[in-house]
Amino acid sequence: MARPDKAAAVAELTEQFRSSNAAVLTEYRGLTVAQLKTLRRSLGENAQYAVVKNTLTKIAANEAGISTLDDLFNGPTAVAFVTGDPVVSAKGLRDFAKDNPNLVIKGGVLDGKALSADEIKKLADLESREVLLAKLAGAFKGKQTQAAQVFQALPSKFVRTAEALRAKQAEQGGAE
């Protein structure tokens, strides 16, 4: 491979690191081409799984400002570049690794922060962004309903108290 080709590969990988929310490094030794194709589908639409050369990828990661992955670039390495919800891709990797023990999650990076393999598995245990947002919206709606009930209760309680006071005064006025 000529030098310009390597420079172009490094530039492309650098851009992928910069444009991704997360990157997960895996070892794929022993997986067939068909299994890798299945893995790519399981990652979702917002992730790209690429088999990479360690040296070039290490250079690209460092150029993108990510030096925390340097120790993970050994053995056959592939990177899942995630541009969407990292939870969906982490779930895809975890589930695929359960069925295919040859896939080993080495670690990764999420928004510039290094993640260990265990942290990626914990990320996979989270609910998706959409589910979490729906739960948050439901909580807000519940609080708004409670607030509306309180605000409605105050005037009606005031009216009942005023009516009781008027009735008491009328009763006392009639007793004299």
Side-chain angles (χ1 to χ4, degrees):
M1 183 188 281
R3 268 311 284 158
D5 292 343
K6 289 183 180 181
V10 168
E12 182 181 337
L13 287 169
T14 302
E15 180 55 33
Q16 285 183 312
F17 274 113
R18 286 183 178 148
S19 64
S20 299
N21 299 346
V24 180
L25 276 67
T26 63
E27 183 175 320
Y28 63 92
R29 187 186 329 246
L31 293 176
T32 65
V33 172
Q35 289 172 322
L36 288 174
K37 187 175 181 180
T38 303
L39 172 60
R40 285 184 173 100
R41 278 194 302 256
S42 71
L43 291 178
E45 298 174 5
N46 297 324
Q48 180 183 2
Y49 189 74
V51 174
V52 295
K53 291 188 179 250
N54 289 337
T55 308
L56 299 179
T57 309
K58 186 175 180 179
I59 293 168
N62 287 325
E63 285 183 9
I66 303 169
S67 60
T68 56
L69 301 176
D70 289 352
D71 297 338
L72 302 177
F73 290 112
N74 50 27
T77 303
V79 181
F81 294 103
V82 182
T83 54
D85 187 1
V87 174
V88 173
S89 297
K91 283 179 193 280
L93 285 168
R94 180 200 58 198
D95 295 344
F96 186 85
K98 282 181 185 175
D99 297 336
N100 301 282
N102 287 335
L103 180 75
V104 178
I105 298 173
K106 296 180 178 184
V109 64
L110 174 64
D111 293 329
K113 180 189 175 291
L115 297 176
S116 67
D118 289 336
E119 290 173 320
I120 292 171
K121 290 174 185 169
K122 287 179 185 175
L123 181 66
D125 291 336
L126 291 176
E127 294 173 331
S128 71
R129 183 176 188 273
E130 289 78 18
V131 171
L132 292 174
L133 287 174
K135 285 184 175 184
L136 182 64
F140 281 142
K141 183 178 179 186
K143 294 297 178 189
Q144 288 176 345
T145 302
Q146 288 174 348
Q149 290 170 349
V150 168
F151 292 137
Q152 287 176 348
L154 289 175
S156 63
K157 187 174 181 180
F158 174 75
V159 168
R160 285 193 306 268
T161 304
E163 182 61 31
L165 182 60
R166 188 191 60 75
K168 186 175 181 181
Q169 287 176 347
E171 187 179 292
Q172 287 175 352
E176 292 180 45

